[in-house]
Amino acid sequence: MKNHNNNNLQIAAREYIIYFLVFILLIVLRRPEAIFHPEFWAEDGVFWYQQAYKIGFSSIFMPENGYLQSISRLVALISQPFPLSFAPAIFAISALTVQVAPIAILLSKRFEDIIKNKYARIIICLIYVVVPNSFEPNINLTNAQWHLSLVLFLLIVSDSYKHSIIEYTTIIVSALSGPFSILMSPIIIFEAYNKYKLMSINKYIIALACTFIQSYFLIVSMVKTRSTENLGASIKSFATIFVNNIFIGGTFGRLGKPFILSIDNHVYVFFVFLFVLIVVAFILGSKVYKEFLFFSAAIIGTALVSPMVSLTQPQWPLMETMGAGDRYYVIPIIAMNIGFLVLAFNKNLIIKIIGIFMLLIFFLSAPFNFLYNDSPYKNIGFYREAMLFYKSNPGTTMKFNEAPSGWNFYLIKK
């Protein structure tokens, strides 16, 4: 009997490793140059690396866009002992590690009791990996906070009966990377209340403490760092953003762009259809799915109230375009497609057919949206510039270009 159990554990471990490696491979294949020819992206050089290089450890306490971004700061500090030419690779590997972390948690034993169907968890991981309209957060340290928000959510809603320094550290870094712990605070409180008699609630206390820290920085610095440009809000713009970027962008991806042009006069119909499907999925879904949908709604709601799409133009009209600020839509898109999975597993035949149909659209469109061929990541020759900097004399000031076009930063050789 003991040998039989050991064999089952070995098989389960082997399956876990195989699935995990396949998902890592898929993530890398969507934009292989991110790993094989890494470059700094936007804030990577301008804020994280430059400030770590100039200021050192104290840079970790500097908020950006109204909140602490600890993961980006930490990786920038870790990269300092290495030559500058190594930094983009360190950033990329760190971003990839963060991106695969939700998969590691979902496939682990701690989620077996929450989502009992193993294949449902695999489908959710596949949705996460091939999600369209999502180039910004893919293997990108600046946007790694979005993946860490999923890590935080999964750790909060899953049961943990053993104290773990690794888990606590992960919660702290995740909660102090972006404003997501603030949006998640009702879920943290709800989970703590339901579990305080059954298990230690240390992780919830730690998460809430980090939430208070982020809230402080948000209150103190938000006005100074967020865009003050007019939103350009309207009811039609609201519906169009949801339809174009979440419903069509999250199912058809780039295949839906021609379709968007033809539905302008019927956008409310598609919005209502999406709304009804999500409400039904919310009613039928598990407690954890309801919590995830709440978190997703908080993300898109906050993004609409205080977006960072433009510093010079009204923002909602820009957000109507598929792909504009796609980081805001990735988690709502994942939540929507998991909702379709909830419908597909329902016993009611009509609901099941609708769920399967929507998932088929998503997965049949996935191959056409797999590669980020139209993303603005380009080889800008950073390695050559870094080598020149390495050979330069102390006191030399050099300018470094990075993607996307127009972003650059300066370093003074120490």
Side-chain angles (χ1 to χ4, degrees):
M1 184 70 178
K2 187 176 180 180
N3 289 334
H4 179 70
N5 290 336
N6 288 337
N7 288 335
N8 287 340
L9 288 174
Q10 290 176 359
I11 292 170
R14 195 180 305 121
E15 285 184 355
Y16 177 91
I17 292 171
I18 290 172
Y19 285 127
F20 189 63
L21 291 177
V22 168
F23 285 129
I24 292 176
L25 180 63
L26 288 174
I27 290 171
V28 172
L29 287 177
R30 295 197 73 179
R31 193 169 67 84
E33 69 272 17
I35 295 296
F36 299 109
H37 301 287
E39 299 272 2
F40 277 153
W41 166 264
E43 289 92 339
D44 286 353
V46 174
F47 295 116
W48 321 138
Y49 191 89
Q50 181 177 231
Q51 291 171 354
Y53 184 86
K54 290 181 177 180
I55 304 170
F57 182 77
S58 59
S59 65
I60 200 168
F61 302 108
M62 297 175 62
E64 186 59 40
N65 288 334
Y67 42 80
L68 296 177
Q69 301 198 31
S70 298
I71 185 63
S72 301
R73 300 287 191 189
L74 283 170
V75 173
L77 288 169
I78 291 169
S79 70
Q80 292 307 304
F82 300 92
L84 176 58
S85 57
F86 284 33
I90 294 171
F91 277 38
I93 292 170
S94 301
L96 177 61
T97 302
V98 169
Q99 192 164 340
V100 300
I103 297 171
I105 298 172
L106 270 170
L107 295 179
S108 68
K109 286 185 177 180
R110 71 187 302 155
F111 250 78
E112 285 181 351
D113 292 333
I114 296 175
I115 305 176
K116 298 183 185 299
N117 190 311
K118 178 179 71 174
Y119 297 105
R121 284 185 284 136
I122 292 171
I123 292 172
I124 291 171
C125 290
L126 189 58
I127 290 171
Y128 170 70
V129 167
V130 302
V131 61
N133 199 21
S134 62
F135 83 85
E136 283 187 343
N138 183 261
I139 315 182
N140 180 314
L141 184 64
T142 285
N143 291 315
Q145 56 178 308
W146 295 87
H147 300 291
L148 274 183
S149 74
L150 294 176
V151 171
L152 180 62
F153 176 84
L154 295 174
L155 291 178
I156 291 300
V157 300
S158 63
D159 296 333
S160 178
Y161 297 95
K162 295 181 180 180
H163 297 279
S164 169
I165 297 300
I166 294 176
E167 181 174 351
Y168 292 162
T169 303
T170 303
I171 287 173
I172 291 170
V173 174
S174 300
L176 295 179
S177 297
F180 305 102
S181 60
I182 301 173
L183 304 180
M184 213 180 296
S185 56
I187 297 172
I188 297 171
I189 295 170
F190 177 76
E191 288 289 332
Y193 177 78
N194 283 312
K195 294 175 180 175
Y196 79 96
K197 292 182 179 178
L198 303 174
M199 53 182 279
S200 167
I201 61 169
N202 288 347
K203 68 178 181 181
Y204 303 108
I205 295 171
I206 291 171
L208 285 174
C210 293
T211 298
F212 284 118
I213 294 172
Q214 285 288 46
S215 299
Y216 167 78
F217 280 103
L218 191 68
I219 293 168
V220 170
S221 63
M222 182 176 177
V223 175
K224 300 177 183 178
T225 57
R226 303 296 294 182
S227 173
T228 56
E229 182 55 52
N230 176 40
L231 289 177
S234 68
I235 295 176
K236 184 174 183 181
S237 187
F238 177 85
T240 302
I241 289 169
F242 272 81
V243 171
N244 289 359
N245 282 289
I246 297 177
F247 186 41
I248 296 177
T251 49
F252 294 94
R254 63 169 64 95
L255 292 181
K257 287 185 176 180
F259 188 47
I260 286 174
L261 299 175
S262 64
I263 65 167
D264 183 60
N265 295 326
H266 308 286
V267 68
Y268 295 116
V269 175
F270 286 90
F271 177 81
V272 170
F273 178 68
L274 171 63
F275 181 77
V276 169
L277 291 184
I278 295 302
V279 168
V280 173
F282 177 84
I283 294 170
L284 299 176
S286 66
K287 173 180 73 71
V288 170
Y289 178 67
K290 288 180 172 66
E291 291 173 325
F292 187 53
L293 206 54
F294 172 85
F295 176 51
S296 302
I299 287 177
I300 192 64
T302 306
L304 290 172
V305 171
S306 181
M308 284 289 287
V309 177
S310 174
L311 296 174
T312 59
Q313 300 179 58
Q315 306 213 58
W316 278 27
L318 293 177
M319 294 173 72
E320 293 178 20
T321 304
M322 185 191 296
D326 65 15
R327 63 192 180 277
Y328 294 130
Y329 312 118
V330 172
I331 291 177
I333 288 172
I334 293 170
M336 176 187 71
N337 282 290
I338 294 176
F340 297 155
L341 184 64
V342 169
L343 301 183
F345 274 90
N346 192 262
K347 293 180 180 179
N348 182 283
L349 183 60
I350 295 176
I351 293 175
K352 181 187 288 288
I353 290 173
I354 293 173
I356 292 173
F357 177 73
M358 296 308 301
L359 283 176
L360 278 175
I361 292 175
F362 175 81
F363 284 115
L364 290 175
S365 301
F368 301 96
N369 297 295
F370 186 74
L371 296 176
Y372 293 119
N373 291 331
D374 55 352
S375 72
Y377 293 90
K378 295 179 181 177
N379 191 327
I380 55 175
F382 179 83
Y383 181 80
R384 179 182 57 80
E385 295 175 342
M387 291 305 297
L388 290 174
F389 185 73
Y390 176 76
K391 297 175 182 178
S392 66
N393 296 322
T396 301
T397 300
M398 277 195 63
K399 176 184 177 182
F400 299 90
N401 294 307
E402 55 178 328
S405 179
W407 286 78
N408 56 72
F409 65 100
Y410 293 84
L411 293 178
I412 301 175
K413 180 71 176 292
K414 295 181 180 179

